[in-house]
Amino acid sequence: MTDPIQPSEELKALDRLVGTWTVTGGAEGTVRYEWMPGQFFLLQHVDLAQHGQSVTGLEVIGNLRPFGEPTGADVVSRFYDSTGNTLDYVYELTGDTLTIWGGAKGSPAYYQGTFNADGTTVTGEWVYPGGGGYPSTMTRI
């Protein structure tokens, strides 16, 4: 008998994000993370303002598992926003350091932030190739 498939340890590590957070820095507003039933996918509900524009959307975070194939190693996501964008990311949490790459793992566009000791804030910044980016802090509500 085959053991039932379980969520990956890399995905389960993101449980630290579950809850509602206030975001400050280059984008301002709130994000809320919650598990879908089964805990194979983490959902992020986004309600932010950036550069004077509202950014609302839903991100689905998990490991890919296409028909008949093994579960992918990376924790990937796709973000869908209210203006029609679909953006792909790769998440990695190592110790207290959260890295979110824009596109593929190792991309020059990424966020890197650090959880404080009690897990109530994540402080870091978005880095973009060729300069730019912005600081971003999430504080648990």
Side-chain angles (χ1 to χ4, degrees), residues 28-99:
E28 306 269 333
T30 60
V31 296
R32 179 173 52 88
Y33 291 89
E34 66 177 339
W35 288 110
M36 277 183 57
Q39 297 192 341
F40 285 96
F41 298 98
L42 184 63
L43 305 177
Q44 180 185 196
H45 303 269
V46 174
D47 187 1
L48 300 172
Q50 186 173 25
H51 308 299
Q53 182 180 12
S54 175
V55 179
T56 59
L58 173 68
E59 184 175 19
V60 180
I61 305 162
N63 297 90
L64 295 179
R65 194 172 79 208
F67 290 117
E69 294 183 25
T71 301
D74 290 337
V75 175
V76 300
S77 75
R78 175 158 285 175
F79 176 71
Y80 304 88
D81 78 15
S82 56
T83 61
N85 293 308
T86 56
L87 306 172
D88 295 327
Y89 298 93
V90 176
Y91 277 68
E92 184 176 74
L93 181 58
T94 304
D96 289 331
T97 302
L98 175 65
T99 305

Side-chain angles (χ1 to χ4, degrees), residues 16 96 114-121:
R16 294 172 76 176
D96 289 331
T114 304
F115 281 87
N116 68 346
D118 64 4
T120 58
T121 62

Side-chain angles (χ1 to χ4, degrees), residues 107-128:
S107 165
Y110 63 92
Y111 169 83
Q112 191 163 68
T114 304
F115 281 87
N116 68 346
D118 64 4
T120 58
T121 62
V122 183
T123 304
E125 70 178 293
W126 283 96
V127 175
Y128 297 138

